Amino acid sequence: MVFDGEAAASLVKELRLSFNSGKTRSYEWRISQLKAFLKMVVEQEDQIVEALRSDLAKPPLETVVYEIGMLKNSCEVTLKELKQWMTPEKAKTSITTFPSSAEIVPEPLGVVLVISAWNYPFLLSLDPVVGAIAAGNAVVLKPSEIAPASSALLLKLLGEYMDNSCVRVVEGAVDETTALLQQKWDKILYTGNGKVGRIVMAAAAKHLTPVILELGGKSPTVVDSNVNLEVTARRIISGKWGCNNGQACISPDYIITTKDFAPKLVDALKIELENCFGKNPLESVDLSRIVSSNHFARLTKFLDDDKVSGKIVFGGEKDESKLRIAPTLLLDVPRDSLIMSEEIFGPLLPIITVNKLEESFDFINEGTKPLAAYLFTNDNKFKEEFVKNVSAGGLLINDTVLHLVVHTLPFGGVGESGMGAYHGKFSFDAFTHRKAILYRGFTGDGSIRYPPYTDTKQKTMKALVAGDVTGVVRALFGWS
Amino acid sequence: MNNNSLELEETVKELGQYFKTGKTKSVTWRKNQLQAILNLVRENEDAISKALYQDLGKHPVEAYRDELGGVEKSAQNSLDSVEKWMAPTKSNIPLLFFPAKGEVLPEPLGVVLIFSSWNFPIMLALDPIIGAISAGNVVVIKPSDQAPACSSFLANTLPQYLDTNAIKVIEGGGDVCEQILLHKWDKIFFTGSPRVARIVMTSAARNLTPVTLELGGKCPAIFDHLSNPSDFKMAVKRIVGAKWGICSGQACIGIDYLLVEEKYSSEVIELLKKFIRKFYGDNMVESRVLSRIINKQHFERLCNLLKDPLVAASIVHGGSIDETNLFIEPTILLDPPLDAEIMTEEIFGPLLPVITVNKIQESIGFINSRPKPLTIYAFTKDDTFKRKIVAETSSGSVIFNDTLVQFLCDTLPFGGVGQSGFGRYHGKYSFDTFSHEKAVMHRHLCLEIEPRYPPWNKFKLEFIRLAYRLNYFGLVLHMLGLKKHN
């Protein structure tokens, strides 16, 4: 059966009816769904690990840490704090509206759409879904077709564990996504690239649907010379090749360091790379493969340029039949080369050298704002300058990627790397409308509000608007 | 400023370069600009009132209450609070990552574009500018060309008070808007109609520019039976003030239509008529208390709403028009057909449909079958009904037993949902809307967590499982080899 515009419209209609029945609003429903979700992730861990092995040859530990572990954490935090998140927040009121009381009530947006990516197909599908459900919405998930085993498993598992009248999965590619985007949603959360992000936002514009776009960019890593080389090298490796072999939106994309320090950094990276992945990294089971032949071709294209391949100082081995590329270091590729103008999203790590490390700020700010930026240094002043001058979705000093795991920090981009954020309570907020409620009574109304407008009324009103108690008294007594 | 596209490109480039100097990030610069706005408003009260009278026939008291006063309050509040708002917010980091520090640091987005609308041409331009400046951005403001006197005022006066390198006014109509939208902005803040909002957002999508859309909708007022006569009177007064006393109904938060139980409708209508006469007199054009309709186009739009014979037949008060003065009398209609344009489109004018229901609770279903409005007003003393309204309807905001005052509450987010828009502002929300909240985490290079690194094995896997559960005791046992792992 083809999933076309008609099917999409009918799906949205069905979910809207479910939402309008009010069932997703209750605390009980939300908790029951989150508990079912947690059960699913725990009981089906083996199946999930298998699907990711099939789609990406992802090492089981990476799946457990980044996909399952993070999802469980997300769910557990939500289960623990949901009641508090759902509680209306009191707002202060001033003399201008005296007597009155006010509060801000969080309410679900309605029927929302989550479109996820192929590199962390479970995490990036389900973490937003957790947020949507916690906020009381009905949700449709469209997983990426580039990770087909994961997509199929998501369809199966969500069908088995979740309330199908309110939570649904639609599999497919461009046609199905287009059909979904033609519908009116109350919110769309998209994870992926800038090109499709633009298409999603333009489609959303037709219905005035707010969007969250989690995109990417070239996440720079600045390395100072006063650091512990071994720890620095290992943390860079963990964030680059330890994360889906560099196919992650917040992987360090490239390094900037001084000309003097670069050789030492390269040596440290070589040693630690061997410690982690052995002498034959193409055979290592601890590295994901490249997801598809399209992406394999995209990555090898970066190396087609002689001016770039000539700068390889480590690695560069590839195996097309197995879609594997070894961890590759490049030193001082030309700044206008393709590898330095597009997001790499793979196991190639260019190292750019500068005379003075301060030059790195200008270098970074010349490009578009990335999703993450990293700095390794022990110089506190330099840390301060970096935080002040570098704009990115998030910054992490002396480590890579970990800020993703901290649910008290908002995760999202700025500029080309996206708009909006989620994780932890930010996920709840992402799918919530904060409705302002003002309660007034029938006392305390002055005739000053109504015509005919006299001088006294005008003066009193001025004072009231400004919240000036003395002014009000004076005006009323005719003293001003 | 004329609409030469090369000049526009230069302007945008210059603004970007000025922003890069970092000058607008300093708290001193921001405070100076906010003080300058305060001075501008205080020193030009007469000129502003005059411009508002010219564009809309607005009475000086309305002008102060709805525009000047609001701007003063907002600027003062921002001036007092901006330093606090700029401070980073600490985030708790799990002990597992010790030693670590986390915070969320607000930073300006860069070059922002503000479109303001014609009905509150001073307030809806300056209030967002206040937000953009407090957040440290540079700004282009494009005032509505449908309020030309106010647009001129802003173009001539803002440069006299504010940093002209950072805040620029671009005047013009639809063609200028089109030109402006071709450029890349770091944020667009739009107040206006859903139709134009779609155009703005579609343009913004080309550059992945985030937008805030402050739109409108049909704001209903639910009028429950109030047994106390003085409460009843007060409610009607407030409704009259909120319909005709605010730019003659040309306001996004004005009451669009009334919902009342059939058996009380005549009582309500009689009292409405009484207060209309009391506030606005018999000769409304001369009394100059009511604003006029902004221009011929909107005047004709409103007259057309009444042309439908079934609609015309439902008029129970008013209905007379003065084409020369662009004046429409406060008009009340009783149960016009629900599929007529007056009940499907936002009215934005001095026509008030009174819709009767059998039981007031039916209002909820009535409202829910229509697009989400910016505000729902409800006059009731029934606490159960109040809770039901809050729980079962959706709107930007809900106001009980009064009208319009939420606009002056800078502790409440002001914005819509669904067709009434998205995003919000006022008070700190204005600062937030023009900021990027940057997550910053600090770690140290000592104290390593070994199991983070490949090659992977069962020990490392179990470690990470325990770490995720923040099971510190288990972790210690595991490290000491005292925990069994399978």
Side-chain angles (χ1 to χ4, degrees), chain A residues 433-446:
Chain A
H433 166 53
R434 304 194 85 75
K435 186 160 75 177
I437 320 275
L438 185 62
Y439 296 91
R440 295 251 311 162
F442 293 106
T443 51
D445 200 30

mmCIF file with all atom_site columns, all heavy atoms in Angstrom, chain A residues 433-446:
data_model
loop_
_atom_site.group_PDB
_atom_site.id
_atom_site.type_symbol
_atom_site.label_atom_id
_atom_site.label_alt_id
_atom_site.label_comp_id
_atom_site.label_asym_id
_atom_site.label_entity_id
_atom_site.label_seq_id
_atom_site.pdbx_PDB_ins_code
_atom_site.Cartn_x
_atom_site.Cartn_y
_atom_site.Cartn_z
_atom_site.occupancy
_atom_site.B_iso_or_equiv
_atom_site.pdbx_formal_charge
_atom_site.auth_seq_id
_atom_site.auth_comp_id
_atom_site.auth_asym_id
_atom_site.auth_atom_id
_atom_site.pdbx_PDB_model_num
ATOM 1   N N   . HIS A 1 433 ? 3.094   24.113 24.897 1.00 0.00 ? 433 HIS A N   1
ATOM 2   C CA  . HIS A 1 433 ? 2.745   25.536 24.789 1.00 0.00 ? 433 HIS A CA  1
ATOM 3   C C   . HIS A 1 433 ? 2.560   26.042 26.212 1.00 0.00 ? 433 HIS A C   1
ATOM 4   O O   . HIS A 1 433 ? 1.821   25.448 26.994 1.00 0.00 ? 433 HIS A O   1
ATOM 5   C CB  . HIS A 1 433 ? 1.453   25.733 23.997 1.00 0.00 ? 433 HIS A CB  1
ATOM 6   C CG  . HIS A 1 433 ? 0.880   27.106 24.148 1.00 0.00 ? 433 HIS A CG  1
ATOM 7   N ND1 . HIS A 1 433 ? 1.622   28.255 23.905 1.00 0.00 ? 433 HIS A ND1 1
ATOM 8   C CD2 . HIS A 1 433 ? -0.334  27.544 24.569 1.00 0.00 ? 433 HIS A CD2 1
ATOM 9   C CE1 . HIS A 1 433 ? 0.873   29.317 24.152 1.00 0.00 ? 433 HIS A CE1 1
ATOM 10  N NE2 . HIS A 1 433 ? -0.320  28.927 24.538 1.00 0.00 ? 433 HIS A NE2 1
ATOM 11  N N   . ARG A 1 434 ? 3.265   27.129 26.535 1.00 0.00 ? 434 ARG A N   1
ATOM 12  C CA  . ARG A 1 434 ? 3.135   27.664 27.879 1.00 0.00 ? 434 ARG A CA  1
ATOM 13  C C   . ARG A 1 434 ? 2.054   28.741 27.847 1.00 0.00 ? 434 ARG A C   1
ATOM 14  O O   . ARG A 1 434 ? 2.284   29.836 27.352 1.00 0.00 ? 434 ARG A O   1
ATOM 15  C CB  . ARG A 1 434 ? 4.475   28.239 28.335 1.00 0.00 ? 434 ARG A CB  1
ATOM 16  C CG  . ARG A 1 434 ? 5.590   27.214 28.269 1.00 0.00 ? 434 ARG A CG  1
ATOM 17  C CD  . ARG A 1 434 ? 6.812   27.646 29.027 1.00 0.00 ? 434 ARG A CD  1
ATOM 18  N NE  . ARG A 1 434 ? 6.742   27.323 30.426 1.00 0.00 ? 434 ARG A NE  1
ATOM 19  C CZ  . ARG A 1 434 ? 6.894   26.107 30.933 1.00 0.00 ? 434 ARG A CZ  1
ATOM 20  N NH1 . ARG A 1 434 ? 7.147   25.088 30.141 1.00 0.00 ? 434 ARG A NH1 1
ATOM 21  N NH2 . ARG A 1 434 ? 6.795   25.897 32.216 1.00 0.00 ? 434 ARG A NH2 1
ATOM 22  N N   . LYS A 1 435 ? 0.899   28.382 28.369 1.00 0.00 ? 435 LYS A N   1
ATOM 23  C CA  . LYS A 1 435 ? -0.265  29.266 28.271 1.00 0.00 ? 435 LYS A CA  1
ATOM 24  C C   . LYS A 1 435 ? -0.317  30.175 29.488 1.00 0.00 ? 435 LYS A C   1
ATOM 25  O O   . LYS A 1 435 ? -0.299  29.715 30.622 1.00 0.00 ? 435 LYS A O   1
ATOM 26  C CB  . LYS A 1 435 ? -1.525  28.382 28.200 1.00 0.00 ? 435 LYS A CB  1
ATOM 27  C CG  . LYS A 1 435 ? -2.816  29.137 27.963 1.00 0.00 ? 435 LYS A CG  1
ATOM 28  C CD  . LYS A 1 435 ? -3.911  28.231 27.434 1.00 0.00 ? 435 LYS A CD  1
ATOM 29  C CE  . LYS A 1 435 ? -4.502  27.330 28.509 1.00 0.00 ? 435 LYS A CE  1
ATOM 30  N NZ  . LYS A 1 435 ? -5.606  26.522 27.941 1.00 0.00 ? 435 LYS A NZ  1
ATOM 31  N N   . ALA A 1 436 ? -0.413  31.482 29.226 1.00 0.00 ? 436 ALA A N   1
ATOM 32  C CA  . ALA A 1 436 ? -0.493  32.450 30.325 1.00 0.00 ? 436 ALA A CA  1
ATOM 33  C C   . ALA A 1 436 ? -1.938  32.572 30.788 1.00 0.00 ? 436 ALA A C   1
ATOM 34  O O   . ALA A 1 436 ? -2.845  32.715 29.966 1.00 0.00 ? 436 ALA A O   1
ATOM 35  C CB  . ALA A 1 436 ? 0.015   33.806 29.846 1.00 0.00 ? 436 ALA A CB  1
ATOM 36  N N   . ILE A 1 437 ? -2.161  32.496 32.102 1.00 0.00 ? 437 ILE A N   1
ATOM 37  C CA  . ILE A 1 437 ? -3.522  32.657 32.636 1.00 0.00 ? 437 ILE A CA  1
ATOM 38  C C   . ILE A 1 437 ? -3.506  33.794 33.638 1.00 0.00 ? 437 ILE A C   1
ATOM 39  O O   . ILE A 1 437 ? -2.661  33.815 34.550 1.00 0.00 ? 437 ILE A O   1
ATOM 40  C CB  . ILE A 1 437 ? -3.992  31.396 33.410 1.00 0.00 ? 437 ILE A CB  1
ATOM 41  C CG1 . ILE A 1 437 ? -3.563  30.123 32.704 1.00 0.00 ? 437 ILE A CG1 1
ATOM 42  C CG2 . ILE A 1 437 ? -5.491  31.457 33.623 1.00 0.00 ? 437 ILE A CG2 1
ATOM 43  C CD1 . ILE A 1 437 ? -4.454  29.647 31.623 1.00 0.00 ? 437 ILE A CD1 1
ATOM 44  N N   . LEU A 1 438 ? -4.432  34.731 33.478 1.00 0.00 ? 438 LEU A N   1
ATOM 45  C CA  . LEU A 1 438 ? -4.535  35.844 34.419 1.00 0.00 ? 438 LEU A CA  1
ATOM 46  C C   . LEU A 1 438 ? -5.924  35.811 35.044 1.00 0.00 ? 438 LEU A C   1
ATOM 47  O O   . LEU A 1 438 ? -6.933  35.742 34.341 1.00 0.00 ? 438 LEU A O   1
ATOM 48  C CB  . LEU A 1 438 ? -4.311  37.169 33.679 1.00 0.00 ? 438 LEU A CB  1
ATOM 49  C CG  . LEU A 1 438 ? -4.276  38.444 34.515 1.00 0.00 ? 438 LEU A CG  1
ATOM 50  C CD1 . LEU A 1 438 ? -3.135  38.395 35.505 1.00 0.00 ? 438 LEU A CD1 1
ATOM 51  C CD2 . LEU A 1 438 ? -4.112  39.661 33.621 1.00 0.00 ? 438 LEU A CD2 1
ATOM 52  N N   . TYR A 1 439 ? -5.950  35.818 36.387 1.00 0.00 ? 439 TYR A N   1
ATOM 53  C CA  . TYR A 1 439 ? -7.230  35.789 37.099 1.00 0.00 ? 439 TYR A CA  1
ATOM 54  C C   . TYR A 1 439 ? -7.478  37.156 37.706 1.00 0.00 ? 439 TYR A C   1
ATOM 55  O O   . TYR A 1 439 ? -6.643  37.671 38.450 1.00 0.00 ? 439 TYR A O   1
ATOM 56  C CB  . TYR A 1 439 ? -7.190  34.771 38.242 1.00 0.00 ? 439 TYR A CB  1
ATOM 57  C CG  . TYR A 1 439 ? -7.004  33.342 37.787 1.00 0.00 ? 439 TYR A CG  1
ATOM 58  C CD1 . TYR A 1 439 ? -5.736  32.787 37.664 1.00 0.00 ? 439 TYR A CD1 1
ATOM 59  C CD2 . TYR A 1 439 ? -8.116  32.536 37.501 1.00 0.00 ? 439 TYR A CD2 1
ATOM 60  C CE1 . TYR A 1 439 ? -5.567  31.474 37.267 1.00 0.00 ? 439 TYR A CE1 1
ATOM 61  C CE2 . TYR A 1 439 ? -7.955  31.217 37.099 1.00 0.00 ? 439 TYR A CE2 1
ATOM 62  C CZ  . TYR A 1 439 ? -6.677  30.700 36.986 1.00 0.00 ? 439 TYR A CZ  1
ATOM 63  O OH  . TYR A 1 439 ? -6.512  29.393 36.583 1.00 0.00 ? 439 TYR A OH  1
ATOM 64  N N   . ARG A 1 440 ? -8.620  37.744 37.359 1.00 0.00 ? 440 ARG A N   1
ATOM 65  C CA  . ARG A 1 440 ? -8.981  39.017 37.985 1.00 0.00 ? 440 ARG A CA  1
ATOM 66  C C   . ARG A 1 440 ? -10.359 38.877 38.596 1.00 0.00 ? 440 ARG A C   1
ATOM 67  O O   . ARG A 1 440 ? -11.090 37.926 38.304 1.00 0.00 ? 440 ARG A O   1
ATOM 68  C CB  . ARG A 1 440 ? -8.990  40.135 36.941 1.00 0.00 ? 440 ARG A CB  1
ATOM 69  C CG  . ARG A 1 440 ? -7.637  40.426 36.361 1.00 0.00 ? 440 ARG A CG  1
ATOM 70  C CD  . ARG A 1 440 ? -7.060  41.726 36.815 1.00 0.00 ? 440 ARG A CD  1
ATOM 71  N NE  . ARG A 1 440 ? -8.017  42.804 36.686 1.00 0.00 ? 440 ARG A NE  1
ATOM 72  C CZ  . ARG A 1 440 ? -7.912  43.959 37.322 1.00 0.00 ? 440 ARG A CZ  1
ATOM 73  N NH1 . ARG A 1 440 ? -6.915  44.173 38.123 1.00 0.00 ? 440 ARG A NH1 1
ATOM 74  N NH2 . ARG A 1 440 ? -8.808  44.895 37.163 1.00 0.00 ? 440 ARG A NH2 1
ATOM 75  N N   . GLY A 1 441 ? -10.702 39.841 39.433 1.00 0.00 ? 441 GLY A N   1
ATOM 76  C CA  . GLY A 1 441 ? -12.047 39.805 40.029 1.00 0.00 ? 441 GLY A CA  1
ATOM 77  C C   . GLY A 1 441 ? -12.782 41.067 39.669 1.00 0.00 ? 441 GLY A C   1
ATOM 78  O O   . GLY A 1 441 ? -12.357 41.816 38.791 1.00 0.00 ? 441 GLY A O   1
ATOM 79  N N   . PHE A 1 442 ? -13.854 41.318 40.366 1.00 0.00 ? 442 PHE A N   1
ATOM 80  C CA  . PHE A 1 442 ? -14.659 42.493 40.035 1.00 0.00 ? 442 PHE A CA  1
ATOM 81  C C   . PHE A 1 442 ? -14.474 43.642 41.002 1.00 0.00 ? 442 PHE A C   1
ATOM 82  O O   . PHE A 1 442 ? -15.258 44.583 41.010 1.00 0.00 ? 442 PHE A O   1
ATOM 83  C CB  . PHE A 1 442 ? -16.134 42.099 39.932 1.00 0.00 ? 442 PHE A CB  1
ATOM 84  C CG  . PHE A 1 442 ? -16.373 41.202 38.755 1.00 0.00 ? 442 PHE A CG  1
ATOM 85  C CD1 . PHE A 1 442 ? -16.604 39.856 38.934 1.00 0.00 ? 442 PHE A CD1 1
ATOM 86  C CD2 . PHE A 1 442 ? -16.320 41.707 37.468 1.00 0.00 ? 442 PHE A CD2 1
ATOM 87  C CE1 . PHE A 1 442 ? -16.803 39.013 37.845 1.00 0.00 ? 442 PHE A CE1 1
ATOM 88  C CE2 . PHE A 1 442 ? -16.520 40.872 36.376 1.00 0.00 ? 442 PHE A CE2 1
ATOM 89  C CZ  . PHE A 1 442 ? -16.758 39.526 36.567 1.00 0.00 ? 442 PHE A CZ  1
ATOM 90  N N   . THR A 1 443 ? -13.454 43.578 41.834 1.00 0.00 ? 443 THR A N   1
ATOM 91  C CA  . THR A 1 443 ? -13.167 44.733 42.679 1.00 0.00 ? 443 THR A CA  1
ATOM 92  C C   . THR A 1 443 ? -12.025 45.485 42.025 1.00 0.00 ? 443 THR A C   1
ATOM 93  O O   . THR A 1 443 ? -11.445 45.018 41.058 1.00 0.00 ? 443 THR A O   1
ATOM 94  C CB  . THR A 1 443 ? -12.700 44.294 44.079 1.00 0.00 ? 443 THR A CB  1
ATOM 95  O OG1 . THR A 1 443 ? -11.631 43.342 43.886 1.00 0.00 ? 443 THR A OG1 1
ATOM 96  C CG2 . THR A 1 443 ? -13.813 43.654 44.852 1.00 0.00 ? 443 THR A CG2 1
ATOM 97  N N   . GLY A 1 444 ? -11.704 46.622 42.579 1.00 0.00 ? 444 GLY A N   1
ATOM 98  C CA  . GLY A 1 444 ? -10.516 47.326 42.117 1.00 0.00 ? 444 GLY A CA  1
ATOM 99  C C   . GLY A 1 444 ? -10.565 47.807 40.693 1.00 0.00 ? 444 GLY A C   1
ATOM 100 O O   . GLY A 1 444 ? -9.584  47.772 39.980 1.00 0.00 ? 444 GLY A O   1
ATOM 101 N N   . ASP A 1 445 ? -11.714 48.255 40.244 1.00 0.00 ? 445 ASP A N   1
ATOM 102 C CA  . ASP A 1 445 ? -11.769 48.811 38.896 1.00 0.00 ? 445 ASP A CA  1
ATOM 103 C C   . ASP A 1 445 ? -12.015 50.296 38.977 1.00 0.00 ? 445 ASP A C   1
ATOM 104 O O   . ASP A 1 445 ? -12.978 50.734 39.583 1.00 0.00 ? 445 ASP A O   1
ATOM 105 C CB  . ASP A 1 445 ? -12.909 48.154 38.126 1.00 0.00 ? 445 ASP A CB  1
ATOM 106 C CG  . ASP A 1 445 ? -12.725 48.300 36.641 1.00 0.00 ? 445 ASP A CG  1
ATOM 107 O OD1 . ASP A 1 445 ? -11.560 48.369 36.205 1.00 0.00 ? 445 ASP A OD1 1
ATOM 108 O OD2 . ASP A 1 445 ? -13.729 48.348 35.921 1.00 0.00 ? 445 ASP A OD2 1
ATOM 109 N N   . GLY A 1 446 ? -11.147 51.070 38.395 1.00 0.00 ? 446 GLY A N   1
ATOM 110 C CA  . GLY A 1 446 ? -11.383 52.504 38.430 1.00 0.00 ? 446 GLY A CA  1
ATOM 111 C C   . GLY A 1 446 ? -12.086 52.952 37.179 1.00 0.00 ? 446 GLY A C   1
ATOM 112 O O   . GLY A 1 446 ? -11.926 52.357 36.118 1.00 0.00 ? 446 GLY A O   1
#
